[in-house]
Amino acid sequence: MKRIFFLFALCALCAFASRAQQYTGMSGMLHIPSAEMHDEGDARIGAHFINKNMMPDTGFLYEGAKYHSIDYYVDITPFSWIEMAFTCTERKTKGSGDFGGYGRKDRYLSLKIRPFREGEYMPAIALGWNDVGTTIDESATRSDVQLYFRNYYVAASKHFFFSGHQFELTMSYRHFSRHYNSKWNGLVGGVTYRPAFWPKARAIVEYTGNDLLVGMDILLWRHLFLQASIKDFQYPSFGISYHTNLFGKYYSY
């Protein structure tokens, strides 16, 4: 009965909003990074819809207005202490023959290193860099397209267990390179909760430095990952990804 109620709650949230993994495709929470990482050999490929209210205020304007976008990514954790992702975000351009005007892509790499694993009393510590490099159309100016998502961060995450229920507390400090993303600079943080009766599902609440995000995610049939979220209870995003382990290990969540 508890599982049925939890699934109903997830579907109810998706009716208002849903969202894929952290917008970079990396492990983390919703918009903010965490020190949690996947197991060695884990890989995933996915895509998600990003609400225009989560997009940068510059570079993603079409006919003078911000627009919703879609990105897709591939992510891999070759070793237990490092994770990498390559992400493409769709952009609109005037005169494009593609559907809806989407005719350009912003491409970038993300990197996360975890020098300290979580201990009995100490949190895990990770350092990260999103938008490590950006590829651009040769016809575009460099100032027009580069570094939309670039930010640096240090994150600390600690798990707590109560009667089989799991809570994770994350605090991060990050800095975006572009001034138009400065609203997300500084201390950010959040809490996740995994119920004892359904450990493959997770509820998330986080503060991005400017916005409140609430979300849920779930792993189905060992490989299919869905995540749902809503910004300030009015701006939805959603997505899906496929998870596996390249070394043949059982994928855990």
Side-chain angles (χ1 to χ4, degrees):
M1 186 65 185
K2 289 182 178 179
R3 290 195 175 193
I4 294 174
F5 174 79
F6 197 73
L7 182 59
F8 175 80
L10 176 64
C11 293
L13 178 62
C14 288
F16 291 99
S18 53
R19 176 184 170 87
Q21 287 76 359
Q22 185 189 8
Y23 65 100
T24 60
M26 300 278 283
S27 61
M29 297 180 69
L30 298 169
H31 189 272
I32 71 171
S34 75
E36 192 173 38
M37 295 180 67
H38 300 295
D39 291 336
E40 185 176 78
D42 281 354
R44 64 185 181 185
I45 182 171
H48 63 258
F49 162 82
I50 308 175
N51 192 285
K52 62 184 179 182
N53 285 278
M54 292 301 296
M55 299 297 291
D57 292 333
T58 297
F60 290 86
L61 299 176
Y62 185 73
E63 297 182 346
K66 292 179 67 173
Y67 54 87
H68 305 309
S69 186
I70 296 173
D71 74 3
Y72 40 92
Y73 53 81
V74 58
D75 172 89
I76 185 172
T77 308
F79 303 102
S80 61
W81 52 272
I82 186 171
E83 181 180 359
M84 300 174 288
F86 180 73
T87 307
C88 294
T89 306
E90 292 288 342
R91 298 182 61 207
K92 287 187 176 183
T93 57
K94 290 185 178 181
S96 172
D98 292 353
F99 178 77
Y102 291 98
R104 184 182 297 174
K105 297 174 177 62
D106 182 80
R107 307 176 180 92
Y108 62 88
L109 298 171
S110 297
L111 176 69
K112 179 159 70 172
I113 297 173
R114 185 179 61 188
F116 301 104
R117 299 177 66 95
E118 182 177 350
E120 183 177 0
Y121 302 106
M122 295 296 295
I125 305 293
L127 309 173
W129 182 9
N130 294 326
D131 207 344
V132 175
T134 303
T135 59
I136 62 175
D137 294 340
E138 293 182 358
S139 60
T141 62
R142 295 180 63 85
S143 61
D144 176 46
V145 299
Q146 281 200 327
L147 313 181
Y148 291 128
F149 300 97
R150 174 165 290 183
N151 67 89
Y152 314 87
Y153 63 85
V154 56
S157 298
K158 186 74 177 74
H159 291 86
F160 302 91
F161 299 88
F162 301 96
S163 301
H165 300 276
Q166 181 185 125
F167 295 85
E168 180 190 13
L169 176 63
T170 291
M171 293 294 294
S172 304
Y173 180 86
R174 67 178 173 185
H175 178 77
F176 279 81
S177 296
R178 294 303 198 191
H179 67 87
Y180 44 76
N181 291 328
S182 61
K183 61 185 178 182
W184 294 318
N185 285 345
L187 285 175
V188 298
V191 178
T192 70
Y193 164 65
R194 296 179 193 268
F197 56 85
W198 206 350
K200 294 186 182 297
R202 182 177 68 157
I204 307 168
V205 177
E206 66 179 35
Y207 177 66
T208 69
N210 185 73
D211 319 297
L212 176 68
L213 292 179
V214 178
M216 300 177 73
D217 53 37
I218 186 172
L219 181 67
L220 300 173
W221 304 295
R222 295 178 55 183
H223 298 289
L224 184 65
F225 186 77
L226 308 173
Q227 190 178 76
S229 75
I230 188 166
K231 171 190 169 183
D232 296 334
F233 300 101
Q234 56 184 325
Y235 304 117
S237 303
F238 61 89
I240 185 173
S241 65
Y242 178 82
H243 293 215
T244 190
N245 188 282
L246 301 179
F247 299 157
K249 298 179 182 179
Y250 181 84
Y251 181 82
S252 61
Y253 173 60

